[in-house]
Amino acid sequence: MPPAAFFDLDRTLLPGASGPALSAALRECGVLSGEPVPGEALLFGLFDLIGETRPSMLLARQGVRFSKGWDAAAVSRAGELAASRLVSQIQPYARQEMAKHRREGRKIVIATTSPDDLVRPLGAALG
């Protein structure tokens, strides 16, 4: 098996949470409707401050239930839209580290609990 280098998305590759960009893209692509859920910005801010916790992981698991029935094509479009915004937010040191690992023959893996359809376009944009 070839060696790999793993990079966490939120608070490592990105300076904070990817959630705000992903949520905005889902709204713009018609997957989510209306305004952000009350307290959403507070939750993202808390995540930026202290990272993932057991309660936040529980909320994320419960949130998956709401994605049932989403239009897969619209979710993919949201992933592309989010990637176009997030790619410019990748930490400069992360780009250097990824390039170093590539030169040394390692595959790059983005570790995240975010859905694959939303994150795969960012991975493609980062090579």
Side-chain angles (χ1 to χ4, degrees):
M1 180 179 336
F6 290 77
F7 292 85
D8 187 49
L9 178 60
D10 297 325
R11 298 182 53 198
T12 302
L13 290 178
L14 297 171
S18 59
L22 296 175
S23 290
L26 287 166
R27 281 187 180 78
E28 288 176 51
C29 291
V31 178
L32 297 177
S33 60
E35 295 298 314
V37 175
E40 184 177 292
L42 178 64
L43 286 174
F44 288 138
L46 187 61
F47 178 81
D48 283 346
L49 182 64
I50 63 172
E52 199 163 44
T53 62
R54 284 195 187 272
S56 69
M57 290 176 3
L58 179 62
L59 281 173
R61 284 191 198 120
Q62 297 303 315
V64 170
R65 294 180 181 172
F66 294 105
S67 66
K68 185 176 181 178
W70 282 2
D71 180 311
V75 173
S76 292
R77 285 191 305 275
E80 293 288 341
L81 181 59
S84 71
R85 296 171 180 166
L86 292 172
V87 73
S88 66
Q89 297 177 34
I90 298 296
Q91 300 278 17
Y93 73 84
R95 290 180 186 275
Q96 294 169 0
E97 285 297 312
M98 286 188 288
K100 175 186 154 200
H101 285 290
R102 279 191 197 98
R103 284 191 306 272
E104 294 172 358
R106 294 181 191 95
K107 290 187 177 227
I108 304 300
V109 178
I110 296 176
T112 182
T113 57
S114 297
D116 182 70
D117 287 339
L118 292 175
V119 178
R120 184 174 293 277
L122 178 60
L126 294 173

